[in-house]
Amino acid sequence: MFKKTRLHLVLWNALIFFLVLLAFGIAMYFYMDRVLLRETDQKLLGIAEQMNREGFKGIRGEHAHEREIDRGKVAYLFWKKDKFVGMFPEKALFTSDLDDLTPGGKEPETRTVEGETYRTLTVSAPPGIQGDFDKDEDDIADKVMLVLSIDAETNALDELLKLILSGIAVSLAVSLTAGSFLAWLSLKPIQKSWEKQAQFAQDASHELRTPLAVLQTQLELLFRKPGHTIEEESEGIYKSLNEVKRMNKLVGDLLTLSRADSNERLIEKKSFDIGELVSFVAEQFQPIAELKEITLKCTAEPLHFTGDKDRLHQLLLILLDNAVKYTGEKGQVAISCKKEAHAVQIEVKDSGIGIPEGDLPKIFDRFYRSDKSRTRKEGGTGLGLSIAEWIVKAHKGDIKAVSTVGKGTAFIVRLPIGKQSSTL
Ligand code: ATP
Ligand code: MG
């Protein structure tokens, strides 16, 4: 899918680039053509006008020492009833060229004869031409064709055309290569996040399937024993309830993460005492810890912090939940909150099972569980730490885990303090 998109992008890009260059090239070519011919045409028209005004006499003087048609010098071809009767200067053109140079219209025209390019203008012969040019009464011209060599201009235009065409070809090649590279560069992160999303959806549906399957089985079992009382089926109902709870938590977590992905504004900052919040969450966990005979210690100093209180509450719940969940009976869990130079440091430490070193870089990945069978028993879905990391990052902070298998784990969160935060 991405290969096709990339190809489309590159081709569209190259096509637009090509069209723009082509339009620019055409405009430049015709502009130069106009500019170069304008001068020639003005010269021809000026001479025609002068000839009309002064006759041929004055013009002849200009060519007194010229024999051949030179660049910038005009040749005059005389015609009588469209039959060539003479030219001036006398050898301005080869007589063989004259077959192709027939009198034309009243507007300047471009003619190519034997590889030479001329600009011509045909006008009626002035009266003075008869006496000056030819003694033979029969050869008195009725039309004069002014001929000016424009080889230099045509050559310049040809060179320009070659330059434009090669420019377009080179630019097209560059645009295709650069476009392909740029498309690859800009599509790479999109492709990555698309793949991540696809994987996320796949994992989520997979996770949802298990509780749904358990529920279905339990309900089917209930149907098979219509005479049983609730008490008799309490185990199955308890299992189903647990799966519903699990599913509820999973759907809630999925919603939080997908909202986080869609860049929705989920963080609402306000100033509050973060030390107090830490103590409050620790107190909330006390009964759960007591159930497992875990000693839960809390050291938190009062500290003003500007952030999203509800989200930070969620973060502490995730970390404490893990600490208690992954610590065996009679273990220890400690939570602390203290002020550093420009940050608040929260540490959640336990004497639990620990995380293998190889797993440490992956624990913040979605659905990642170090010991899948064990965490499934604990009700874990592997989304807690992904949400924790998102909350910390949304506060521009960082989170890391230090762990030794069999000895315990410590999660250290550092949240930078804004200007308004300070110790109470
Ligand atoms: P839940 O979404 O319910 O939190 P979970 O606890 O399995 O599920 P995370 O909180 O994201 O998921 O944790 C990911 C994994 O990291 C866990 O499955 C566990 O293997 C490991 N882990 C996290 N915290 C600890 C800890 N304090 N001690 C040992 N292992 C931990
Ligand atoms: Mg967890």
Side-chain angles (χ1 to χ4, degrees), residues 318 321-322 325-326 384-385:
I318 292 169
D321 175 61
N322 281 350
K325 207 156 70 176
Y326 303 114
L385 287 179

Side-chain angles (χ1 to χ4, degrees), residues 129-393:
I129 217 164
Q130 299 161 8
D132 271 320
F133 179 63
D134 216 320
K135 308 277 180 307
D136 189 347
E137 282 290 307
D138 289 342
D139 285 347
I140 288 171
D142 57 6
K143 275 184 192 162
V144 184
M145 182 155 96
L146 310 180
V147 184
L148 194 57
S149 168
I150 52 162
D151 257 354
E153 285 83 351
T154 326
N155 284 344
L157 277 175
D158 282 350
E159 287 301 315
L160 182 71
L161 189 67
K162 271 188 222 156
L163 195 76
I164 290 172
L165 289 179
S166 45
I168 289 179
V170 170
S171 311
L172 206 62
V174 170
S175 130
L176 280 171
T177 336
S180 166
F181 174 70
L182 288 177
W184 172 78
L185 209 66
S186 49
L187 281 178
K188 210 167 79 168
I190 301 173
Q191 183 173 2
K192 243 184 167 176
S193 82
W194 189 82
E195 280 165 5
K196 220 171 115 186
Q197 280 301 327
Q199 183 65 42
F200 182 47
Q202 203 180 324
D203 291 347
S205 19
H206 183 77
E207 286 297 324
L208 281 167
R209 257 193 5 218
T210 325
L212 281 173
V214 173
L215 272 178
Q216 191 181 348
T217 329
Q218 292 298 337
L219 288 173
E220 278 167 4
L221 277 175
L222 279 181
F223 253 127
R224 270 192 230 157
K225 303 163 196 163
H228 277 206
T229 60
I230 291 180
E231 200 180 351
E232 280 169 314
E233 288 303 321
S234 58
E235 201 189 322
I237 296 173
Y238 173 75
K239 269 189 199 162
S240 309
L241 255 180
N242 261 354
E243 289 305 325
V244 171
K245 264 194 223 160
R246 203 177 120 77
M247 215 158 66
N248 204 358
K249 179 180 175 295
L250 178 65
V251 171
D253 285 354
L254 286 174
L255 201 67
T256 309
L257 283 171
S258 65
R259 276 192 188 151
D261 285 344
S262 64
N263 286 335
E264 231 179 87
R265 234 187 100 92
L266 296 173
I267 297 291
E268 276 176 26
K269 291 189 177 179
K270 54 178 189 261
S271 183
F272 67 98
D273 183 352
I274 196 164
E276 198 184 305
L277 179 71
V278 169
S279 309
F280 173 74
V281 179
E283 249 172 66
Q284 266 190 322
F285 260 86
Q286 220 40 275
I288 305 167
E290 270 167 26
L291 269 180
K292 278 181 95 177
E293 291 178 53
I294 290 172
T295 332
L296 174 58
K297 241 175 51 188
C298 171
T299 348
E301 52 189 69
L303 189 62
H304 260 319
F305 182 75
T306 306
D308 191 319
K309 193 176 174 185
D310 291 340
R311 292 290 174 201
L312 290 169
H313 185 188
Q314 194 181 1
L315 166 77
L316 296 172
L317 285 181
I318 292 169
L319 296 180
L320 271 178
D321 175 61
N322 281 350
V324 173
K325 207 156 70 176
Y326 303 114
T327 300
E329 295 207 340
K330 298 198 171 62
Q332 276 136 31
V333 172
I335 181 165
S336 68
C337 171
K338 61 179 184 207
K339 188 179 181 289
E340 277 195 337
H342 301 289
V344 173
Q345 184 186 296
I346 298 169
E347 192 180 50
V348 181
K349 215 171 161 179
D350 63 58
S351 62
I353 55 168
I355 304 165
E357 211 181 318
D359 286 349
L360 274 178
K362 300 180 222 157
I363 52 169
F364 296 100
D365 292 352
R366 291 171 187 190
F367 294 108
Y368 189 80
R369 285 164 295 188
S370 184
D371 178 350
K372 284 204 167 45
S373 58
R374 183 185 173 130
T375 44
R376 161 101 192 128
K377 245 187 270 154
E378 302 277 1
T381 53
L383 290 178
L385 287 179
S386 319
I387 298 176
E389 189 187 38
W390 164 69
I391 296 172
V392 173
K393 282 200 174 147

